[in-house]
Amino acid sequence: MIGADMLARSFRTAVCDIDFEWPTVNLLDACRQYGLEIDDVAYLAANENPYGPSPKALAAAAESLSLARVYPSPSLRYDELRNEYAEVRDALAAYCGVPADMVMPGPGSETVLRYVTQVFVDPGDEIVTAPESYSGHPWACQIMAADVRYVPLRDYRFDIDAFLATVSDRTKMVWLCSPNNPTGTIITDEELRRLVANVPASTVIVCDQAYQELVDDPSWGDATQLLLEGHRNVVVLRTMSKAFGLAGLRMGHAIADPEVCSLIDRIREPYYISGPSCAATLAALDDLDWCREVVRKLQAGRRWVTQQLTELGCTVVPSQCNFVLADTGVAAGVMYDRLLRRGVVVRPGDIWGYDTHLRISIGTDEENRRLVAAMAAALAE
Ligand SMILES: Cc1ncc(COP(=O)(O)O)c(C=O)c1O
C-alpha cells in the first residue's frame, strides 16, 4: 500500500516496542470452543467479586441513567454548586481517612495509574518494579518510554533489600503492589517503612492497594499512613472494582500529595467518569455493611479454597486477596485446558514465570466447590 512505510515511520518507538498481548481467555470463545453455556462456566480468571455491588449501588446507578443525555460534572471546584464528581471525591476521602485534596478519582485505578505516570515519567526515566506483579504498572511506564528495571520477587514476596540495592538517584519511580497480584502476598509495615526511609525523596513510590479491603494480616503496611506522616513521594492506588464489586462501572482513585492530585487534574479528560459510576460509588460507600459482609465471605472462601487445594496436593501461596496462586505441579497451560473443559476458567501463571501455577479467583461457595471438584479430576487425568 502506498505510504504504509511512511506512516510507520511516524509511530512512536516506545509504543511499537511494547510486547503486548491481551491476557488469555475470552469467555465467549471458550464457551464456543468447548460447547459450554455461559451460565455453566465458573469464571475465576479476573479477580472479580462474585457477590457484586450493594443493591443500593445498582439502584442508584440505574436511577442516574435518566440523566444520560447530559455530560457529568467536569470540575472539582468547591466554589461552584455541589456536583457528583466533587461528592465522590469527598466520599472516597472520608472512607480512606484523608483530606479531599489528596484524592484523585478516575474511571478505574488502571486509568489513574496512567495519569500518575504521565505526571512523573519522562522518556528514558528509570522505573523499578517486580516482574511477578501487576502488568499494568510497567505497561503504563513503557508507553511513556521509561527504562523499566525488574527486581524479581523472592519466595513470592517483594524483595525489599533487592529493591533498595537497585534504586539509585536515577530512579524516578518504584512500583509496589500490596497485597500483590498475582501472589496475594503483602509488604509488611516494617518493610514498607524501610523502603520509604531509604529511597531518595525525589523517587516516587507508587503502592497499588487494590485489594486492601481483603487484608486480615495485622503486619500489612498501609502506604497511606506513610503519606499522611509526610512522605510526599508516596502515591497510593485504590479501587472500587474488588471489595465493592463495581469492576464494570469503573471507579478507582489515587491518594497523593495535593500538588500531585492537582497535576493529575490538569491532564485528565473533562468528562471521564460517568454519572452512573459516581452514583453507584456514593451509594456503595454509604452501605459499608454490604462490603464488610462480602469481604467476610471472600475471606472465608479464600481459607476454604486454600485448604482444599492443599489437600489435593497443591502448594498454595498464603493469600490476602480474593484469589490464590496455586502450584499444581503440572504445566499451567495443560491444567488451564483441563479445567476449561470442565467449565472452570482460571489464569495460567506462566505469564509471570510461574510455569506450574494457576491464579484462581475466589468465587461463590458453589463456584469454589466446582473449582475443587474440577481440580481433583484434572489432577487425576
Ligand atoms: C493490582 C491491581 N491494580 C489495579 C487493577 C485494576 O483495577 P481497576 O478496575 O480499578 O482499573 C487490578 C485489577 O485486577 C489489580 O489487580
Side-chain angles (χ1 to χ4, degrees):
M1 199 211 303
I2 297 167
D5 290 347
M6 297 299 282
L7 179 63
R9 266 200 240 169
S10 298
F11 296 152
R12 286 184 58 221
T13 316
V15 175
C16 295
D17 284 352
I18 291 172
D19 182 14
F20 183 75
E21 230 179 278
W22 286 106
T24 51
V25 234
N26 175 314
L27 179 56
L28 292 175
D29 283 348
C31 288
R32 264 181 237 123
Q33 190 177 347
Y34 291 96
L36 303 162
E37 295 295 325
I38 281 202
D39 288 344
D40 289 342
V41 173
Y43 189 73
L44 305 176
N47 302 340
E48 290 143 338
N49 177 339
Y51 300 105
S54 154
K56 292 179 186 165
L58 286 182
E63 198 179 319
S64 82
L65 287 174
S66 64
L67 285 176
R69 71 189 168 79
V70 296
Y71 282 119
S73 334
S75 161
L76 274 172
R77 282 199 299 274
Y78 291 93
D79 52 353
E80 295 180 344
L81 284 177
R82 302 284 316 165
N83 65 56
E84 71 270 11
Y85 183 29
E87 277 173 36
V88 162
R89 178 154 99 154
D90 283 355
L92 288 169
Y95 169 64
C96 295
V98 299
D101 62 358
M102 292 178 74
V103 169
M104 205 53 217
S109 57
E110 183 82 52
T111 299
V112 177
L113 72 86
R114 291 202 180 185
Y115 291 143
V116 173
T117 60
Q118 286 176 36
V119 164
F120 287 108
V121 180
D122 280 317
D125 276 350
E126 182 184 281
I127 306 296
V128 178
T129 185
E132 309 91 343
S133 188
Y134 188 60
S135 57
H137 306 155
W139 183 14
C141 295
Q142 282 159 356
I143 294 169
M144 302 307 293
D147 174 14
V148 182
R149 302 271 155 101
Y150 290 100
V151 176
L153 299 191
R154 188 176 178 173
D155 294 335
Y156 301 106
R157 303 191 60 241
F158 273 83
D159 186 345
I160 300 301
D161 291 331
F163 262 70
L164 283 173
T166 305
V167 172
S168 70
D169 287 341
R170 280 201 56 235
T171 310
K172 178 63 82 66
M173 197 177 244
V174 171
W175 287 86
L176 306 174
C177 191
S178 178
N180 185 41
N181 179 2
T183 55
T185 50
I186 57 162
I187 299 170
T188 65
D189 189 53
E190 182 276 321
E191 290 168 329
L192 191 60
R193 285 179 183 279
R194 187 151 46 88
L195 184 89
V196 172
N198 289 291
V199 301
S202 58
T203 301
V204 182
I205 300 164
V206 187
C207 192
D208 188 334
Q209 300 187 174
Y211 299 93
Q212 167 168 347
E213 285 84 357
L214 278 303
V215 172
D216 59 12
D217 182 337
S219 68
W220 171 75
D222 183 359
T224 304
Q225 192 51 42
L226 279 98
L227 178 64
L228 289 174
E229 288 172 19
H231 294 282
R232 297 182 63 213
N233 55 334
V234 171
V235 175
V236 182
L237 296 169
R238 304 283 302 267
T239 183
M240 296 296 289
S241 297
K242 306 300 175 183
F244 286 96
L246 282 170
L249 276 179
R250 315 304 299 133
M251 180 71 78
H253 68 281
I255 307 175
D257 184 83
E259 221 176 319
V260 175
C261 289
S262 69
L263 288 172
I264 296 176
D265 202 31
R266 231 183 252 193
I267 58 172
R268 67 173 174 90
E269 298 87 359
Y271 306 116
Y272 71 145
I273 305 183
S274 74
S277 304
C278 288
T281 298
L282 288 171
L285 291 172
D286 203 34
D287 188 10
L288 290 180
D289 283 347
W290 171 274
C291 179
R292 284 191 201 104
E293 178 57 15
V294 163
V295 165
R296 194 195 58 71
K297 287 195 263 192
L298 290 170
Q299 288 169 334
R302 170 171 91 197
R303 281 192 293 275
W304 189 80
V305 168
T306 301
Q307 183 206 338
Q308 295 294 313
L309 295 186
T310 305
E311 281 175 20
L312 288 177
C314 301
T315 304
V316 185
V317 182
S319 170
Q320 288 286 292
C321 293
N322 64 333
F323 58 84
V324 294
L325 184 70
D327 185 355
T328 67
V330 181
V334 171
M335 279 305 276
Y336 169 79
D337 273 338
R338 289 180 189 173
L339 291 173
L340 190 56
R341 266 190 276 122
R342 295 171 169 89
V344 176
V345 188
V346 298
R347 182 67 52 89
D350 43 4
I351 47 171
W352 298 283
Y354 294 129
D355 290 346
T356 55
H357 297 57
L358 301 172
R359 192 197 65 188
I360 305 162
S361 306
I362 303 301
T364 58
D365 289 348
E366 193 195 323
E367 287 171 324
N368 295 338
R369 279 195 291 274
R370 186 144 174 221
L371 161 81
V372 170
M375 188 72 99
L379 284 168
E381 253 188 58

